Amino acid sequence: MLDRTPIIDIRGVNKFYDGFQALTDVSLSVFSGQRVVICGPSGSGKSTLIRCINRLEEHSSGQLIVDGTELNDETRNIRAIRQEVGMVFQQFNLFPHLTVLENLTIGPMRVRRASRRDAEATARKYLERVHIPEQADKYPSQLSGGQQQRVAIARSLCMETRVMLFDEPTSALDPEMIGEVLEVMVELADSGMTMIVVTHEMGFARRVADLMVFMEAGRIVETAPPEKFFTNPESERCRVFLEQILSH
Amino acid sequence: MSDFPETFAPRARQWPLRRVLRSAPLSLVFYLAIVGGIVWLALRGSASMGYNWQWYRIPQYFYEITDQGFQWGEIPIGLVATIGLSTLAFALALVLGLLVALLRLSDLVVGNAVAVGFLELVRNTPLLVLLYLFYYVLGPIFSLDRYWASVLCLAVFHAALISEIFRAGILAVPKGQWEAAKSIGMTTGQAYRWIIIPQSIRMMLPPLTGEMVHMIKSSAIVSVIAVAELTTIGRNIISDTYMSFEIWFTIAAVYMVVTLALSVLVSRLERSFTVKR
């Protein structure tokens, strides 16, 4: 079912912030079409790991290969990889001085050199997909948090990337808005997008994940398919963590 | 609960006179009294030294109606020269200031050192000395005439101040904006052009206006190397007429009208910026 070469290949990656080790010998392979959910206590390095994948953070050692291109200091490689890997942030990070439509077209127009007409057509298509076509001409500040996050997802989709990274996409949202964002993410997963999601939403994880990853203190402690992960995890720490977040 | 009345007690005990002192009519009275006092002192001083006021001779320096019809006087001509000089220097200062700010924000060690060196050199030299350097040292070397020596000197001096405004404005844009721009594949240049600078301009506008006002005022210093502008014209008129009181009051008022008008204009502009969002 899956390609044999992984689209993202992380091999023995370490990451140091002066004196502090954020990632220790992390290895993970993600194949095209796979949905990986990473969970773990805060400070365990989940965000750092996915931010290394599109080089918002630099890894200190080890190898990180995205779609056959190795991430190193080569600026050309970094930009090539960023055009294959989209990212959705916890704080949305929409461009406040641009309308929703402009937020969606600026990437394709400036980075991919698409014409305005093509970029707007693409933008409207993806706004439709995240269920807010009517908000195209508003500014981000006029939207609710849930709508803003859906615009952010659409912005990433407009770049037509092969992989999408989600860094705790629902953590900054009011509870009643989490559902609408997760719904869009489930639809995205169903469409076959390769996704790596850092989240505490275990219901979502159960529904879409092909692979669950549990991290603690900068290490990957457990990697398992969801049916095994949720019912019979191997490590004690993972068991305790799941009990804690599933009990309420 | 017992803490509550105590916390709010100062408000109840507020000095009642303070409210009276803050009222608008009383402020006006104070203001008039102070201004009146200054005018009275000036008049008394000039009277005691036997100063001969000749305000009636001032209008001819603004405009004249001769056989050929309406003609602008020396002061408006000087004002236009001042505005031209300041605008040209300001435009150059903006470009140079942006360059210095970007160098300073870059990760280039050399660029950073150059920018900091430039800033410290300019900030720690008096403007007058800087002007002499440009006119008497750089002037002969690069064959700059007095006008271009003045323009470049003012541009360099204000570029240092403007670069700090740019730097602060750029740093005020949240880090997440950079990350979002980079995550959609933008280069640093594209991120600046499309995402960062447009957002920081709104924050930079008020301090930049201040710099333009500052520039118009500091341009007066080029009168020491006799570049034709408002202050030089003032000096020339005085050397002809000895009306130093009237002329300096007039010149100061002209500067004030221009800079106040500029401030009002920009605060309008700023409002239209905010409405857009």
Side-chain angles (χ1 to χ4, degrees), chain A residues 51 54 56 79 82 85 87 89 93-97 106-107 110-111 113 139 155 159, chain B residues 175-187 190 194-196 198-199 276-277:
Chain A
R51 287 163 60 85
N54 69 349
L56 289 181
R79 288 197 63 214
R82 283 182 180 150
V85 180
M87 182 138 185
F89 299 89
N93 295 349
L94 292 177
F95 306 130
H97 60 302
I106 193 147
R110 302 299 161 201
V111 178
R113 307 261 162 230
Y139 283 92
R155 176 174 68 185
M159 294 306 291
Chain B
K175 205 170 123 242
Q177 294 293 309
W178 277 105
E179 294 186 345
K182 298 225 150 159
S183 79
I184 57 174
M186 284 193 175
T187 60
Q190 287 172 327
W194 302 106
I195 308 302
I196 306 300
Q199 289 185 62
K276 205 184 122 194
R277 305 187 72 196

Side-chain angles (χ1 to χ4, degrees), chain A residues 108-120:
Chain A
M109 281 171 64
R110 302 299 161 201
V111 178
R112 291 222 193 271
R113 307 261 162 230
S115 71
R116 174 179 296 276
R117 233 181 45 164
D118 291 350
E120 283 188 358

Side-chain angles (χ1 to χ4, degrees), chain B residues 144-198:
Chain B
L144 301 170
D145 60 17
R146 57 188 71 214
Y147 185 77
W148 280 101
S150 309
V151 168
L152 291 178
C153 166
L154 288 171
V156 162
F157 183 73
H158 286 270
L161 307 169
I162 285 173
S163 83
E164 288 295 276
I165 294 174
F166 278 140
R167 198 170 77 99
I170 287 167
L171 287 178
V173 176
K175 205 170 123 242
Q177 294 293 309
W178 277 105
E179 294 186 345
K182 298 225 150 159
S183 79
I184 57 174
M186 284 193 175
T187 60
T188 305
Q190 287 172 327
Y192 266 125
R193 167 67 185 85
W194 302 106
I195 308 302
I196 306 300
I197 302 280

